[in-house]
Amino acid sequence: MARAARSRTPNPDAPQSHPHRLLHTGLDGVRALPAAVRRGYRSRRTAPTATLLDGAPHRPLASTLGLMAVTVVGACLGLLLIGSLRVPVGPMDTSMALRPSLSGGTRIEVAPLGDLELSSHHAPVRLDVDVDRLDPVRSQALVDHPERFAGLQAEVTHDVTRGALGLALHSCVAVASGATALGLAVYRRPRRALAAGGLALTLLGASAGTAYATWNPESVLEPKFSGLLTSAPSVVGNARSIVSEFNVYQKELARLVTNVTKLYDATSTLPVYQPDPTTIRVLHVSDIHLNPGAWRIIASLVKQYRINVIVDTGDTMDHGSAAENHFLDPVSTLGAPYVWVRGNHDSRGTQKYLTGRRHVTVLDHGKVTQVAGVRIAGVGDPQFTPDRSVVAAGDPAERTAGGHLADALRTQRLAGTPVDLALAHNPAAVREADGLAPLALAGHVHHRENTLLPQGTRLMVEGSTGGGLRAVHNKKPEPVLASVLYLDRRTKRLQAWDEITLGGLGLSRAEVSRHLPHENQPGATPAPSGSPPSAGPSSGPPSGPSARPARSPSEHPR
């Protein structure tokens, strides 16, 4: 048996037959195949690593800086695009947002008055608060229940605290979303994108910690004003007195809320006139005199009243110098076409600067234009009073310029294209258009006048739309005035007008009063559509409480 067992045990040294050698060779090749595949795969996968190690070594600093850059840019984009949050604060609706900044601080925008900046903290983020509007419902509740003013300070503090917490959470979502989205777009790797989002949250937390560490509650006592608010300290006193006498401030706030609420309630007491959607709406402004807040007021009125065309009857400047020209840049962005005539404070250089700007039409020498379906002609003021080397020519020169305007109006009438609006800065000039246009507009005297001229033309003189800034030289601030004229789209005749009056600096007055021409009042006989209304009994005296007898422009040197 032992011999038989040994005979079955293969002897390695014994010679093998040829088939056995082939079989063993095939089995060895099969067993070696996976190892060969693995070696080939590894050689292909490790070749770039070897090249990188031999030729261009990995740079962790560059990778880290790139990730930081993507994080910062993405976080900033997130704050700018989705970082704003609407927050009700007392009777006001506000928008709060964190914005990237090199110096930090807080900016409060109160349209149309201007901006208020506080050096509240030093961090790479700034707090922006925009006061959007005064909510009429909450304002009326305060007016109906004056006892609530006692708790208004606590309510505002609570609202601001709640809004700040909400803004913090909203900003975290904004920076994380922005950084993650940009990281995914740049790296196309979820782990790197999530790393960018986490890093953005870390940076925002560090910024918040820096702001908390550098928080300066005394900054409210030393604010920086811009816009119309630049004159606020000289009119309402400094912030220290407001803080120390907060009870007085509460009473003034109550008066402000009451008056602004009257503005919202004005529509219920206006005379019966409802302009239909096709009515042409003309905004008449004049004598802005370099008031930067006027542009915001005009833009707001254009939006609220859906204005079709803005008419400016001059004295937009104060000295007509080239240094003042950039003040005119916003006229192209007000939301409606802008028609302008030169005033006695506007130089020829001012007129040249405005000519050719987008959405702006400059009228002079009786030039005629058609804007929003209304045919308008105008003449610039022949005098430039800031030039003291030239003796003022007075009303005779104004009447001569008005004569050129009248000639142009006659030419248009003979051609079958009569003019709807005649414009000049000085009323003495545009009076020469009496009987040649149904409506004449002017400025210059810094108060409103509404007169029916002998030949049937209605002369409407606008007050100063920028008097608030000039009024710091006077004892009593001038109000800011503008008017909205409603013209029938078919006949281009005046149907009604709204007189808008905003209190000057330091005054909390806001009024809107509606007036109807005599021929449009209930029971009156409408004037024929083919000619200006006559000066007879059907026309009557100027309507509205603000209408007053006309005065000679020479009595009001400006």
Side-chain angles (χ1 to χ4, degrees):
M1 291 295 294
R3 190 181 303 112
R6 284 195 299 269
S7 63
R8 287 195 297 266
T9 303
N11 185 3
D13 296 331
Q16 297 181 357
S17 62
H18 184 67
H20 282 89
R21 284 198 303 274
L22 291 177
L23 179 61
H24 280 288
T25 301
L27 291 176
D28 291 341
V30 171
R31 283 194 293 266
L33 182 61
V37 172
R38 287 196 301 270
R39 283 195 301 272
Y41 177 77
R42 287 172 181 167
S43 64
R44 288 193 299 271
R45 295 289 294 174
T46 57
T49 304
T51 303
L52 178 63
L53 292 175
D54 294 339
H58 182 59
R59 297 177 179 176
L61 179 60
S63 177
T64 302
L65 291 178
L67 181 61
M68 288 286 293
V70 169
T71 299
V72 171
V73 173
C76 292
L77 290 176
L79 287 177
L80 293 174
L81 296 178
I82 60 173
S84 181
L85 181 67
R86 296 186 64 84
V87 179
V89 177
M92 300 173 293
D93 288 336
T94 68
S95 298
M96 295 185 179
L98 292 180
R99 294 290 183 250
S101 172
L102 297 177
S103 57
T106 300
R107 184 189 64 82
I108 303 173
E109 181 178 357
V110 186
L113 300 179
D115 296 341
L116 177 69
E117 295 185 8
L118 307 175
S119 182
S120 57
H121 62 277
H122 298 284
V125 289
R126 183 188 70 221
L127 174 62
D128 282 5
V129 181
D130 292 344
V131 180
D132 297 330
R133 70 181 187 118
L134 198 64
D135 185 86
V137 177
R138 300 200 298 272
S139 303
Q140 187 63 50
L142 285 175
V143 174
D144 295 338
H145 304 281
E147 68 277 4
R148 295 186 182 180
F149 280 101
L152 184 59
Q153 181 181 8
E155 179 185 352
V156 169
T157 302
H158 177 265
D159 290 343
V160 170
T161 303
R162 183 182 59 183
L165 293 176
L167 179 63
L169 295 176
H170 192 79
S171 299
C172 288
V173 174
V175 299
S177 301
T180 302
L182 187 60
L184 193 61
V186 172
Y187 295 112
R188 302 183 182 277
R189 294 168 59 186
R191 292 182 62 182
R192 296 284 281 180
L194 292 176
L199 184 57
L201 290 175
T202 303
L203 292 177
L204 181 62
S207 300
T210 304
Y212 180 79
T214 59
W215 182 255
N216 177 24
E218 300 295 320
S219 62
V220 70
L221 303 179
E222 298 178 355
K224 179 182 178 182
F225 299 97
S226 61
L228 279 178
L229 292 178
T230 53
S231 298
S234 62
V235 177
V236 301
N238 58 45
R240 294 182 185 274
S241 63
I242 294 177
V243 173
S244 61
E245 301 176 8
F246 191 75
N247 289 334
V248 177
Y249 177 69
Q250 283 184 316
K251 295 178 182 178
E252 291 300 310
L253 180 61
R255 188 161 64 93
L256 172 65
V257 172
T258 302
N259 285 334
V260 175
T261 302
K262 290 179 181 178
L263 177 63
Y264 284 97
D265 293 339
T267 54
S268 63
T269 60
L270 295 177
V272 179
Y273 170 73
Q274 295 295 331
D276 63 67
T278 65
T279 300
I280 300 173
R281 301 158 192 252
V282 179
L283 177 62
H284 184 197
V285 299
S286 190
D287 296 87
I288 292 175
H289 285 291
L290 286 181
N291 183 350
W295 301 129
R296 295 185 180 181
I297 294 173
I298 293 172
S300 176
L301 292 174
V302 167
K303 183 177 180 181
Q304 292 178 39
Y305 284 86
R306 301 189 297 277
I307 296 298
N308 300 107
V309 57
I310 306 166
V311 170
D312 184 346
T313 47
D315 270 9
T316 314
M317 309 298 241
D318 240 348
H319 306 286
S321 64
E324 298 172 338
N325 283 342
H326 288 292
F327 169 77
L328 301 167
D329 291 346
V331 298
S332 299
T333 62
L334 296 175
Y338 197 90
V339 179
W340 182 87
V341 292
R342 187 179 67 252
N344 62 294
H345 282 263
D346 304 316
S347 66
R348 302 280 178 172
T350 302
Q351 179 166 312
K352 183 178 179 181
Y353 187 82
L354 270 177
T355 302
R357 298 190 69 84
R358 289 189 310 115
H359 310 307
V360 177
T361 301
V362 174
L363 298 181
D364 198 3
H365 308 296
K367 177 183 175 181
V368 180
T369 186
Q370 183 163 326
V371 182
V374 181
R375 194 171 288 111
I376 308 172
V379 63
D381 198 294
Q383 305 181 83
F384 180 55
T385 53
D387 185 358
R388 302 302 181 184
S389 64
V390 178
V391 178
D395 284 356
E398 300 292 342
R399 287 191 287 268
T400 300
H404 297 318
L405 175 62
D407 291 340
L409 298 180
R410 292 189 186 94
T411 301
Q412 290 293 318
R413 174 172 288 187
L414 291 174
T417 54
V419 169
D420 305 308
L421 293 180
L423 311 181
H425 175 66
N426 196 309
V430 81
R431 283 175 181 273
E432 302 299 315
D434 185 18
L436 299 173
L439 190 58
L441 306 181
H444 184 63
V445 297
H446 286 216
H447 63 257
R448 289 191 180 106
E449 293 181 359
N450 195 315
T451 309
L452 201 60
L453 299 178
Q455 299 301 318
T457 295
R458 182 179 293 275
L459 171 60
M460 303 184 74
V461 180
E462 188 54 81
S464 173
T465 312
L469 191 62
R470 276 190 128 208
V472 297
H473 302 294
N474 304 329
K475 292 182 179 180
K476 184 178 180 181
E478 290 187 39
V480 177
L481 308 177
S483 297
V484 178
L485 316 180
Y486 300 94
L487 306 183
D488 182 88
R489 182 167 292 276
R490 184 178 62 85
T491 65
K492 311 301 186 297
R493 296 305 168 86
L494 183 67
Q495 303 297 302
W497 70 93
D498 290 343
E499 293 180 350
I500 300 164
T501 303
L502 304 176
L505 290 175
L507 302 180
S508 54
R509 184 162 60 101
E511 298 176 358
V512 176
S513 58
R514 176 159 294 171
H515 305 268
L516 303 179
H518 180 76
E519 59 271 15
N520 281 6
Q521 294 180 3
T525 302
S529 60
S531 61
S534 66
S538 64
S539 298
S543 63
S546 62
R548 63 189 74 185
R551 305 181 191 176
S552 170
S554 60
E555 299 178 20
H556 309 277
R558 295 289 175 180

